[in-house]
Amino acid sequence: MEHFDLPPLGRVAGNVSLPGSKSISNRLLLLAALAEGSTEIRDLLDSDDTRVMLAALAALGVGLEKTAAHAWRVRGVGGPFPVKQGDLFLGNAGTAFRPLTAALALSGGHYKLSGVPRMHERPIGDLVDGLRQIGCDVRYAANEGFPPLAILPAAVSLAAQLSSPLRVRGDVSSQFLTALLMALPLTGRPAVVEMTTELISKPYIEITLNLMARFGVTVQREDWRRFTIPGGQRYSSPGTVHVEGDASGASYFLAAGAIGGGPVRVEGVGRDSIQGDVKFADALATMGARIEMGDNFIEACAPASGKLRTFDLDLNHIPDAAMTLAVAALFADGPCKLRNIASWRVKETDRIAAMATELRKLGATVEEGPDWLGVSPPLTFQANAAIDTYDDHRMAMCFSLAALGGVPVRINDPRCVTKTFPDYFERFGSIAAPVIAIDGPSASGKGTVAQRVATTLGYHFLDSGALYRLTALAAMRAGVALDDESAVAAVATALPATFEGERILLAGDDVTEAIRAEDVGVGASKVAVLPVVRWALLERQRAYRRFPGLVADGRDMGSVVFPGAPVKVFLTASAEARAQRRHKQLIEKGMAANMRTLLQDLQERDARDAARAVAPLRQEDDAALVDTTPMSIDEAVAAVLDIVRGRLPFIN
Ligand code: DC
């Protein structure tokens, strides 16, 4: 895919479960590899950067076994790497390159480390200087101060060199300190690391120290200037470890909630997180967003006033999530300033320059300095901006928020998100893609119209009635009484249903026709009044929300399932017209039909539907009424499309 076209976006709401954190995943992989014993890592991120680390560890003699979709068993080598020769390609993964450099420098072998061209432009001199101080033989294979590197066995005794502190800079990347801290216990000797400059991105060092402690190695920290690793410590496996959800990845969804109404809830990080980027929520709160935090979730809503405020913040502690804030600045009520972000210059791309260039495409006025960025929001968003992403996953993800300005936005080379968040756009779509909710009484033609509207717009289609019919059919087949609420809800939760184009399968059996039978319809209306059954189907229905958009047909689409749907249509027709349509359908199918009984049935069903306590049939306040009594199907489709175009500008 060359580019991803985001439609103009409005209301955003929903829940997102986060993939594992990149920073934690790659640290845990290395620690588990160096440790004694075997470690089960659960919820490991599956992305380019973790794959690079896994491949490198395998090449270095570490036993790796995938035990579940996101779980790996790592058989630790209990010290330096046993494979003493290797040529490792590490892509653009800083979290693999830097720590492996240090661990390999202390492994006494011959190794070559290289990456993509951008990796060879990212400085590594401070780390190499630190390693050389203790006698490691690390050489630059091309340019002084940059990868690729050649590592050779040390000519001197490393232990002897450790008596005096290692002195390193901490103002370019905190990953150099992380790399040294994680590798030094391989010597088994006491070691001290002293910073010669201010240390940036301190929360990432907290992650490092926290995870090392879980593997049995404690580090004494004096301020952020001196780190002491007492001797005699070895890494040993804690058994099973879980990877938290990615807090940097959470920032996009939280910002979307703050900009687009919300509530948006991210699951997998919360109050107890060890990741510094959860502090992004505080920055959003500074802008006026309403934030709620639980042990394992964070939720964001727009300010009560609806408008986000300007900010002027030092963001050194959240360098990655700060990019999201730069794009959120487009939605502030005045100029915003991001300070102390010099590390952006040496990340996947020069993020300060890239951010300035791309924000301007949306109409913002942007000023940049060596370590700061000033963003003045546009009066109106520039439509159809084509955003370049510089092979930087975070550029692609944070600029997706620009579509919340109500304009179409094109993201070039969107696949760069695979570095840390392969299904980012699917998840963003699940809270942001436009939804057209269509409801109406039985036989109003809404099913046919909804499907035709979806086809015309190229949108996904949800026939929610089919889910209730499938639940009824599955319950009937399993011999479950249709008024046994918890048993039917269990059937609904486990419903083995798949939609393959026009075909509907239940546990592999084609039931496209079967679910339309009269007794199944009656069964569906019975199970549809059970609140626990409706609740059991809720997330399944919400999962249909995907880019470029969704047409959702059914009773509570605009009220419960997608209350923020920007387009709601109530399609109706007189009972006589509906009875006539049904009559014609039945005759065409060669079935017997009687107008009088059909009319009576419909009227009775309308009364029952409107009177029922759970999800009664009614027109939502914000739903547009389309009375199709005098219309053909084509005319009804055209009428709905008119409403859609009125509410969703830019739709073709
Ligand atoms: O639209 P349909 O006839 O296929 O729907 C089957 C039954 O499910 C019908 O009684 C209405 C009910 N239903 C519901 O309660 N909520 C929905 N979202 C969709 C259908």
Side-chain angles (χ1 to χ4, degrees), residues 160-477:
Q161 313 287 323
L162 279 165
S163 49
S164 48
L166 254 104
R167 295 172 53 77
V168 293
R169 297 177 65 103
D171 57 348
V172 174
S173 168
S174 68
Q175 282 181 11
F176 304 148
L177 177 59
T178 283
L180 288 170
L181 291 173
M182 290 209 292
L184 283 168
L186 291 179
T187 65
R189 313 287 296 197
V192 177
V193 182
E194 278 181 5
M195 309 316 296
T196 58
T197 65
E198 173 74 7
L199 175 64
I200 61 165
S201 314
K202 297 181 184 76
Y204 285 99
I205 302 302
E206 298 252 46
I207 298 180
T208 304
L209 300 184
N210 185 305
L211 298 180
M212 285 172 66
R214 281 198 221 170
F215 281 80
V217 173
T218 54
V219 178
Q220 291 152 10
R221 172 172 81 72
E222 292 155 66
D223 268 338
W224 292 101
R225 289 213 312 279
R226 195 177 150 93
F227 300 83
T228 304
I229 306 172
Q233 303 191 89
R234 292 174 68 106
Y235 290 125
S236 66
S237 167
T240 300
V241 286
H242 287 265
V243 178
E244 281 182 21
D246 192 274
S248 318
S251 70
Y252 313 111
F253 306 111
L254 295 174
I259 298 163
V264 172
R265 177 177 286 212
V266 292
E267 286 156 357
V269 290
R271 209 184 281 127
D272 298 335
S273 171
I274 62 167
Q275 297 169 76
D277 270 1
V278 290
K279 288 268 188 312
F280 174 76
D282 297 346
L284 273 185
T286 304
M287 295 183 78
R290 289 170 293 163
I291 303 289
E292 199 196 323
M293 242 193 222
D295 290 345
N296 199 38
F297 76 85
I298 309 177
E299 192 172 285
C301 289
S305 68
K307 192 73 194 160
L308 290 166
R309 290 195 295 267
T310 67
F311 62 86
D312 181 337
L313 290 171
D314 181 328
L315 297 166
N316 193 271
H317 60 301
I318 51 167
D320 284 352
M323 291 179 74
T324 314
L325 217 54
V327 180
L330 293 171
F331 299 88
D333 60 3
C336 299
K337 195 145 188 179
L338 298 91
R339 296 183 191 273
N340 205 0
I341 50 168
S343 68
W344 280 23
R345 298 250 182 229
V346 295
K347 295 283 172 118
E348 279 80 343
T349 182
D350 176 344
R351 286 177 168 170
I352 293 185
M355 186 58 78
T357 305
E358 303 309 312
L359 286 173
R360 286 184 189 120
K361 289 183 182 169
L362 292 153
T365 306
V366 185
E367 289 174 278
E368 63 171 286
D371 67 345
W372 60 269
L373 197 68
V375 183
S376 298
L379 286 177
T380 52
F381 278 73
Q382 189 71 45
N384 296 308
I387 303 298
D388 290 316
T389 48
Y390 307 80
D391 202 19
D392 182 348
H393 54 137
R394 300 208 185 282
M395 287 295 286
M397 295 190 278
C398 62
F399 273 93
S400 66
L401 298 172
L404 292 165
V407 290
V409 173
R410 170 168 288 186
I411 305 288
N412 285 331
D413 298 321
R415 263 183 313 216
C416 59
V417 299
T418 58
K419 187 170 200 287
T420 56
F421 206 150
D423 61 352
Y424 172 74
F425 287 103
E426 287 78 30
R427 305 228 192 168
F428 183 49
S430 76
I431 59 163
V435 177
I436 299 166
I438 300 185
D439 192 13
S442 178
S444 60
K446 70 184 160 70
T448 314
V449 172
Q451 197 148 28
R452 293 258 308 261
V453 169
T455 307
T456 308
L457 298 174
Y459 276 23
H460 301 277
F461 177 61
L462 165 60
D463 172 4
S464 61
L467 291 176
Y468 287 95
R469 289 171 178 269
L470 281 160
T471 302
L473 180 63
M476 286 151 77
R477 287 187 173 177

